[in-house]
Amino acid sequence: MPQYKAPLRDIKFLMHELLDAPQALGALPFHAQNETADTDLMNQVLEEAARFVETELAPLNRVGDEEGCTWHAGGVVTTPTGFKAAYDKYRQAGWTALDADPEYGGQGMPHLVSNILVEMLNSANVAWSMYPGLSHGAYSALHAVGSDELKATYLPKLVSGEWTGTMCLTEPHAGTDLGIIRTKATDNGDGSYAITGTKIFISAGEHDMAENIVHLVLARLEGSPAGTKGISLFLVPKFLPNADGSVGERNGVVCGSIEHKMGIHGNATAVLNFDGAKGFLVGEVNKGMNNMFIMMNAARLGTGLQGLALGEVAYQNALSYAKERLQMRHEPRVDPAQEADPIIVHPDVRRMLLTGKAYTEAGRAMAMWLALSIDVEHHHPDEAKRKEAADLVALLTPIAKAFMTDNGFNIAVLSQQVYGGHGYIREWGMEQFVRDARIAQIYEGTNGVQALDLLGRKVLMDGGKKLQKLAGVLQQFVEENEGDEELAPYLDALGKAANQLGSLTMVVGQKALAGPEGADEVNAVAVDYLRFFGHVVYGYLWARMAKIAAEKVGAGQDRDGFYLAKVQTARFYFAKLFPETKALAATIKAGNESLAVDDRVFGLERPLVGT
Amino acid sequence: MPQYKAPLRDIKFLMHELLDAPQALGALPFHAQNETADTDLMNQVLEEAARFVETELAPLNRVGDEEGCTWHAGGVVTTPTGFKAAYDKYRQAGWTALDADPEYGGQGMPHLVSNILVEMLNSANVAWSMYPGLSHGAYSALHAVGSDELKATYLPKLVSGEWTGTMCLTEPHAGTDLGIIRTKATDNGDGSYAITGTKIFISAGEHDMAENIVHLVLARLEGSPAGTKGISLFLVPKFLPNADGSVGERNGVVCGSIEHKMGIHGNATAVLNFDGAKGFLVGEVNKGMNNMFIMMNAARLGTGLQGLALGEVAYQNALSYAKERLQMRHEPRVDPAQEADPIIVHPDVRRMLLTGKAYTEAGRAMAMWLALSIDVEHHHPDEAKRKEAADLVALLTPIAKAFMTDNGFNIAVLSQQVYGGHGYIREWGMEQFVRDARIAQIYEGTNGVQALDLLGRKVLMDGGKKLQKLAGVLQQFVEENEGDEELAPYLDALGKAANQLGSLTMVVGQKALAGPEGADEVNAVAVDYLRFFGHVVYGYLWARMAKIAAEKVGAGQDRDGFYLAKVQTARFYFAKLFPETKALAATIKAGNESLAVDDRVFGLERPLVGT
């Protein structure tokens, strides 16, 4: 069975040496006053989190996959053996409250810390982690835009973990296209609404882990305009709370079935039928899409962390196996007394392992940078600083979601490959990582949708301003380190790619404006553009990590080889992974022309759009 | 549930227009005399094959996945509902005999035809198809090197499909590394041997579909040298045949268990315990590895066809879904009366679909070229022609296995992505294609092993002779078509890449010879080299197909858009997929340096090889 060990050494390196997080957080009055950014406290919390996920959650990952969830008549859903007991321990230990608002019972720790917890949770058990994960999304939206009354009633329960939450967006005919949802809301005239419709793919939508479930539901209020501008967000509890906060009457929302899926078997993916269920408006009428994005942005980073987390745990296990599995002989022999050598000596195995290590460590650096920026965005006293952080968060979020989940899936596949035939056998657990990782590329907005968000919304609609700001940060790093021999080859590659990112953006931007097919030009290259952008960000982070590490190695301060590993993994990244940008530059330049094929290419008998 | 329609139009195009197969086969006396290369006969056989797989096998694909195989006490294994009945129909219709030797009851049809059948079978139901597939491998080895007595006893039963066959190679400690197997053979002194040992991962190793199973087993005869030079091949029947050919005494080989796997659930992957089982030598003593490779080469092409086949069926279904699923609005609108447009109008969806189409059609062209070359290798009267064909087969086989299965898996993943969230739900069937496709990258020699076979054995150990011959064919095509405006951009890209393949080969070859780390240099770049090589071959085939198709379009002979589709898919291939060669050239040039990391990078406390 796979093992998981939280990568605390790397996390501390990033937190202290790359990001100087205690200082950055110390500048935020909220954390300075609460003393929640204290170095010792953060370290202690992370060590405790590591212990919890390693001992309580990782051992449940396999049973969750084997048993899955079970739907019973009447819409009752039971979770796999051990899931509820672990959840009880989790919330009783206060983990659901970690970064929540102290006003509602939260501990007020930085996002940076809770995001590291999320990575650990997902490495240990992604299906289990989705229950508190979805709750956190619901908490965020309600906290941001809910009325005082709703907040007073629901937030303490979500923070304590007594109740969990969901996001109810998708309908059978409407996934990406939320503007066409049919679930409707009727004003009851008493401050409540009657919600009717069917929602599908509702993660953690029904289960036995908590006494109540708080659904946040997108619906169209009667009389609202068509499209995304007529959608509102409603809170629909499974049980209506009594005045004393206890669980009261059962509401008209029932789980009709749960899906049989490729993976994440331990999480119940529910079909929810709302039949005049009592709901309460969250935020303003017809602002549902905006309010939903409060959940979604957090969920997108959380989904990205799933990719990161599964890459990490798959890599860890492939590494262990590669050290132990003896197969073929290498010159020089490791131990001539053995009939074969550990496969880790073969360069192609090292290539697979280093791919996992290089993407994972850069991804973690990006995710922590992003999480720290969220803290700054929320709490910095200087508005300009908040805006700067918000821009970076907006720009990096689609990259975090798509690039980390694509890489995570690929790492899971490569790590499975290291096991040879054993990787295909369920008992070894590697194939579960592949199946579990696959969903993260699809949900919370497919990775294609993320790419459109990045290129269309975050870059082009913004006139390239956010991009230029980030480019400035990179440029400054390159200039500051001119003449550094160790970094020279990386800075050269990085500088060129960053410039190329700018020129590719211009080319696409011009095409986008050139005619009625402009939107197609964006759609055609967005996925490749996001990958290119991702490499530029990872390249920058690897160069920064290499700089710090090379100084430690040079100063003789590398007792365990950690810094040497950073230097050599950076070299690998630029030698073997970063060159993907060469292919991507070519395919981005190729634009939409080769995709704008005749409809008959797809066997369509008539042109889709009449002439 | 997914549908499958055999791509007969494309197959006939390749057979007649690209390969001119009837003429090539007509030059082979074996087929000319048997009239087995007659155009009408071949077409009729393929149409009948299509009908069979579409109606009998495709409907069993889902049930095979859901039910899987079941192991019962005593080593009895039952296959999913309907599997045996379909197999009975299959063999009674003569499909197991299709390309077999008429001397043993075969129909003597060309390999080309049977390979097309194999593609169709695997598109419809890969798990089912492995039962006759493994039998065919056993047939090939026995036919090539078995004694007359063994052939007379076993071949007619394998040809008729009454008995099936297996390949027993892997042991728990020995997969890639067959030189260290421990299964041993003891001479019984009566012309038979006692075989003892445990074999794992034996596909179709035990089942209820046929009355007997013929295991071909690698074992070491007592007193033989260590390593691959001491391994012999033995035939071990599940039941020892009586003199009249009926099934007699149960032999000492028992199925200890079957594996629970990521996919191909309908095929029983057996642990076989041989306990003094009676076996018979196949071929010469200590030549087991050579004899095994007769099976393996066929199995490798067959595995490549699994990748091709799963890519095809996944693409077909993604295409259907993309035409029907309405989501988001495109300008111009397809049908303004609908609330959304079919997602096939979005360029990014087209990118995913065209990736499937372009890789699949080029793969089919390569596979059929390879299969036709096997026919020439076996039957051409001119020895030089046989040698030429054999060299091409040797060179292309690892590419067919690895490039087609990597692409097939990627296409399955992309096709699943087209379905959005529905792709993750079992009921839609797309995730099964992903799980089933994954094994083909692993078994019959991992794709990393294929890459070493290509670069190490087929190219470098051969002094580049086979490569040069193929390069000559490409060069000739490029030169012959100089000045063709339609082809010019492709020929330019192809010519450059072909030259670069030559120069990269030289660079790696020199490094390989340069010192004791030469083997590492080959190992380090082999996987990227195979992919680069694959693109050169596919590029060549796309240019050839585009040439034929452009002429038809130009001559107004393109009634259904088939030829236009070829022209436009070729354009897509060169615009969007071929540029991967730019990244691969860079990573190949980067060699082993960035992989030769310090052992501490992998957390190894001491250097693996002492200083």
Side-chain angles (χ1 to χ4, degrees), chain B residues 495-554:
Chain B
K496 278 184 192 155
N499 285 338
Q500 199 170 22
L501 180 63
S503 60
L504 290 168
T505 306
M506 297 258 285
V507 169
V508 180
Q510 280 162 2
K511 284 186 191 170
L513 296 171
E517 284 82 28
D520 281 352
E521 289 290 345
V522 174
N523 199 300
V525 301
V527 164
D528 291 340
Y529 181 89
L530 185 145
R531 252 198 107 71
F532 192 104
F533 204 144
H535 274 298
V536 171
V537 173
Y538 279 26
Y540 164 64
L541 291 167
W542 267 120
R544 281 188 59 192
M545 293 192 283
K547 177 182 158 70
I548 296 166
E551 284 167 6
K552 292 282 188 181
V553 172

Side-chain angles (χ1 to χ4, degrees), chain B residues 154-235:
Chain B
Y154 292 94
L155 286 183
K157 298 291 193 180
L158 287 169
V159 169
S160 71
E162 287 165 276
W163 299 355
T164 65
T166 73
M167 293 163 51
C168 300
L169 284 50
T170 303
E171 300 181 6
H173 69 295
T176 297
D177 195 0
L178 292 170
I180 59 173
I181 61 166
R182 291 174 195 155
T183 296
K184 65 178 182 193
T186 312
D187 193 337
N188 287 334
D190 61 356
S192 76
Y193 297 81
I195 311 294
T196 298
T198 295
K199 295 287 181 180
I200 65 168
F201 298 164
I202 309 307
S203 296
E206 181 57 67
H207 57 80
D208 55 2
M209 285 169 62
E211 64 175 10
N212 201 4
I213 302 175
V214 182
H215 303 293
L216 290 188
V217 186
L218 288 185
R220 195 182 307 279
L221 183 59
E222 277 188 325
S224 285
T228 52
K229 287 174 185 157
I231 291 173
S232 305
L233 184 65
F234 296 90
L235 183 158

Side-chain angles (χ1 to χ4, degrees), chain A residues 423-437:
Chain A
Y424 201 68
I425 307 301
R426 290 179 62 97
E427 158 184 30
W428 288 85
M430 299 305 287
E431 61 87 44
Q432 184 187 345
F433 295 139
V434 175
R435 288 183 291 104
D436 285 355

Side-chain angles (χ1 to χ4, degrees), chain A residues 175 327 416 424 435 438 598, chain B residues 175 327 416 424 435 438:
Chain A
Q327 205 79 167
Q416 180 188 27
Y424 201 68
R435 288 183 291 104
R438 185 70 185 90
D598 192 278
Chain B
Q327 205 80 169
Q416 181 188 26
Y424 200 68
R435 288 184 290 104
R438 185 69 185 92

